[in-house]
Amino acid sequence: GAVVSQHPSRVICKSGTSVKIECRSLDFQATTMFWYRQFPKQSLMLMATSNEGSKATYEQGVEKDKFLINHASLTLSTLTVTSAHPEDSSFYICSARYRNYGYTFGSGTRLTVV
Amino acid sequence: DAKTTQPPSMDCAEGRAANLPCNHSTISGNEYVYWYRQIHSQGPQYIIHGLKNNETNEMASLIITEDRKSSTLILPHATLRDTAVYYCIVRDGGSNYKLTFGKGTLLTVNP
């Protein structure tokens, strides 16, 4: 149980375009989801926390207008990277909190901006 | 958020126990300790979590000191597939209960 499905697993986009990443909880309702970014040889960096039906809370230094997060239902959160640039190339990972103590992670999305 | 300190790397022989230490001296009374691991280019995988008592599951054991300022993750019989980066995380006690990752320990299991 407590599976999170993240799509796409890999995406290549042109500089200046937007990319949407989906994160779905398959067998539970996720009131809270988290989005992380990971650069090569570095740890996961929390970008934002999203709660169903409300605006996301962004960590310091993360541009909310560039990384749009939507959590419109209890099973789906999306991250849209707008006007992507090569420096946005990274590994993006979502996570969902279930019950009180559980956290499950998606398999990640490798974004390459060319 | 309570910070954690882990050694950057460790080695372990296949079949032996791997003991991964973590210091979290600023942990507060209601903050849980979580352990996750990440194999290259995959999402983190849950291992175990605990508050005060020692915990054991099919993957590992978690030993938390009485003062809760440190803990040890024990993989009883390490295999080559256990090679990964292991993260010790103290869960934020705030309303969103976010998990903030530190640098972790790269455990290499050698044949």
Side-chain angles (χ1 to χ4, degrees), chain A residues 33-54:
Chain A
M33 288 188 171
F34 306 90
W35 287 95
Y36 294 83
R37 179 168 56 181
Q38 185 175 32
F39 292 108
K41 298 189 186 299
Q42 295 187 22
S43 183
L44 284 76
M45 184 191 79
L46 180 65
M47 300 175 67
T49 302
S50 73
N51 290 298
E52 185 265 337
S54 62

Side-chain angles (χ1 to χ4, degrees), chain B residues 4 6 18-24 27 31-36 46-66 68-76 86-91:
Chain B
T4 61
Q6 298 177 254
N19 296 280
L20 291 89
C22 179
N23 285 323
H24 31 79
I27 193 170
E31 291 181 319
Y32 281 76
V33 178
Y34 285 76
W35 283 83
Y36 280 80
Y46 170 78
I47 302 173
I48 201 166
H49 77 280
L51 181 62
K52 294 180 183 178
N53 300 321
N54 297 337
E55 303 287 344
T56 295
N57 62 21
E58 64 277 6
M59 286 184 71
S61 294
L62 173 61
I63 309 298
I64 303 174
T65 58
E66 195 168 337
R68 302 213 320 125
K69 292 184 177 182
S70 65
S71 61
T72 301
L73 177 74
I74 301 172
L75 307 179
Y86 287 76
Y87 296 99
C88 167
I89 305 163
V90 172
R91 186 179 78 163

Side-chain angles (χ1 to χ4, degrees), chain A residues 2-104:
Chain A
V3 176
V4 165
S5 176
Q6 185 173 344
H7 292 282
S9 57
R10 291 179 178 270
V11 58
I12 300 173
C13 72
K14 291 185 177 181
S15 189
T17 62
S18 296
V19 172
K20 181 184 284 188
I21 302 169
E22 289 191 350
C23 183
R24 291 181 186 273
S25 56
L26 298 186
D27 49 4
F28 67 100
Q29 293 183 330
T31 54
T32 303
M33 288 188 171
F34 306 90
W35 287 95
Y36 294 83
R37 179 168 56 181
Q38 185 175 32
F39 292 108
K41 298 189 186 299
Q42 295 187 22
S43 183
L44 284 76
M45 184 191 79
L46 180 65
M47 300 175 67
T49 302
S50 73
N51 290 298
E52 185 265 337
S54 62
K55 288 184 178 180
T57 302
Y58 290 82
E59 296 297 305
Q60 193 171 9
V62 177
E63 300 174 61
K64 58 182 69 175
D65 294 331
K66 181 169 185 61
F67 299 100
L68 302 179
I69 293 172
N70 184 283
H71 192 165
S73 79
L74 287 171
T75 59
L76 175 65
S77 177
T78 60
L79 168 68
T80 301
V81 182
T82 63
S83 186
H85 290 284
E87 56 264 32
D88 298 324
S89 298
S90 188
F91 191 53
Y92 292 86
I93 307 169
C94 69
S95 172
R97 184 164 70 92
Y98 62 98
R99 298 177 189 162
N100 286 327
Y101 307 109
Y103 297 79
T104 186

